[in-house]
Amino acid sequence: MASNVGLRAVDKTFADGTRALDGVDLDVPGGQLFTVLGPSGCGKSTALAIIAGLDQPTSGHVEIDGRDVTNLPAHRRQVNTVFQSYALFEHMNVADNIGFGLRMRGVKKPEIRRAVEDMAGFLRIRALLRSRIGQLSGGERQRVALARALVNAPRVLLLDEPLSALDAELRTALADELADVQRALGITLVFVTHDQAEAMKLGDRMAVMQTGRIVQTDTPRGIYEKPATAWLARFMGLGNLWPIRGYGADGRVYLDFTTLFGLEAEGDYVLVRPEMIALTTAPPRGPNDVTADIVQAVFAGPSIDYRLHCNGQRMRVLAPNDGRMIHAPGTCVTARIPVERAALINA
């Protein structure tokens, strides 16, 4: 059974005075794959350790299913953690590693053997049960660590950057497997990462942290397309972030290089993601069409990454590599800015 997880006004200050968490409030719905994203040192791993019971908050409290578990020891929370290093026991074989938690709980040997074999079969590592940890690849170690956590039937599974030591192809494959496992078992999974693409791909919902605080919690699409701050807009990837110089009647927004029409809200910046802008060699015909010169066209596999200048303003456009002509540097094009998909955000 999956559990809800909550942090309520959690602060954490270490003995040297470093404030790792600053009034963190977080709600993780039961049965979801929830990602926590942020740069190194933002406090995301500290938050995970506090949920797990491996560290104590300086103030605030932790809830699981609405129950305050702040002072409950880790082994009584029905929460298991997979660390970045996997923390496997090198002197034990795979089967003994997977069954370690069950042995510590006093489960009888036949039950342990059956549970270990079932979990190994589920994660497709049954052939490795007699292998030593030193014989395993990175991907196999990750599966063993996951099996060791899941065999204890936790209501919440916490993963602290478990894919960061793997190569890109294996990271992608194992991320897909993690999502499949979470859906199959229906558990609550909290996945900490510094990788934006990984967080957006995996998460049903996600929270982004900066300097010990949560900046925004939403769906991955909501955070990518409508970030709460300019910092978050930049952190979430490529974006055209243009300062607003003023507002006029009828939804006009004045920028350094053009005037956009049809934006009703107010903010400090307009954000338009580069894949949302369309390029054409036809002349401007709409109120939010602007002329621009191609400065650079970079082949990026499934897309072409264009760098443009528009009345002195730099612009980035990602166009699908659909086999049509690539605009060469020096070409004058029309950039169609979709204001309906633009975000007005604050500094």
Side-chain angles (χ1 to χ4, degrees), residues 126-190:
R126 187 171 284 170
L128 302 175
L129 286 176
R130 302 303 164 209
S131 300
R132 293 286 177 179
I133 299 303
Q135 299 173 300
L136 306 182
S137 68
E140 290 167 344
R141 285 173 178 248
Q142 198 268 351
R143 289 189 183 93
V144 173
L146 190 59
R148 186 175 67 180
L150 291 173
V151 79
N152 293 292
R155 294 188 176 186
V156 180
L157 179 63
L158 310 175
L159 296 105
D160 189 5
E161 306 247 21
L163 308 179
S164 60
L166 306 176
D167 63 69
E169 183 178 359
L170 187 55
R171 283 183 72 154
T172 299
L174 290 179
D176 290 340
E177 287 191 14
L178 279 175
D180 291 342
V181 167
Q182 187 274 331
R183 284 191 292 267
L185 298 181
I187 62 173
T188 304
L189 193 155
V190 183

Side-chain angles (χ1 to χ4, degrees), residues 119-282:
M119 186 55 63
F122 178 71
L123 291 172
R124 301 191 301 279
I125 54 172
R126 187 171 284 170
L128 302 175
L129 286 176
R130 302 303 164 209
S131 300
R132 293 286 177 179
I133 299 303
Q135 299 173 300
L136 306 182
S137 68
E140 290 167 344
R141 285 173 178 248
Q142 198 268 351
R143 289 189 183 93
V144 173
L146 190 59
R148 186 175 67 180
L150 291 173
V151 79
N152 293 292
R155 294 188 176 186
V156 180
L157 179 63
L158 310 175
L159 296 105
D160 189 5
E161 306 247 21
L163 308 179
S164 60
L166 306 176
D167 63 69
E169 183 178 359
L170 187 55
R171 283 183 72 154
T172 299
L174 290 179
D176 290 340
E177 287 191 14
L178 279 175
D180 291 342
V181 167
Q182 187 274 331
R183 284 191 292 267
L185 298 181
I187 62 173
T188 304
L189 193 155
V190 183
F191 186 101
V192 162
T193 180
H194 65 273
D195 186 295
Q196 292 89 335
E198 198 169 76
M200 288 190 289
K201 176 182 178 180
L202 285 173
D204 298 312
R205 287 180 66 79
M206 61 187 286
V208 184
M209 295 187 67
Q210 178 192 21
T211 58
R213 299 180 180 180
I214 292 180
V215 180
Q216 187 174 354
T217 302
D218 201 342
T219 62
R221 181 173 183 173
I223 290 177
Y224 180 75
E225 294 188 357
K226 305 287 184 181
T229 68
W231 174 86
L232 184 51
R234 296 184 185 99
F235 181 69
M236 289 306 297
L238 299 177
N240 297 293
L241 194 64
W242 300 315
I244 294 172
R245 300 308 182 195
Y247 291 88
D250 303 321
R252 297 184 186 188
V253 172
Y254 301 114
L255 308 179
D256 286 331
F257 68 102
T258 191
T259 299
L260 296 180
F261 297 83
L263 292 167
E264 298 297 336
E266 291 192 5
D268 299 308
Y269 295 90
V270 173
L271 170 69
V272 182
R273 294 296 182 190
E275 68 276 11
M276 298 176 183
I277 299 174
L279 297 181
T280 177
T281 53

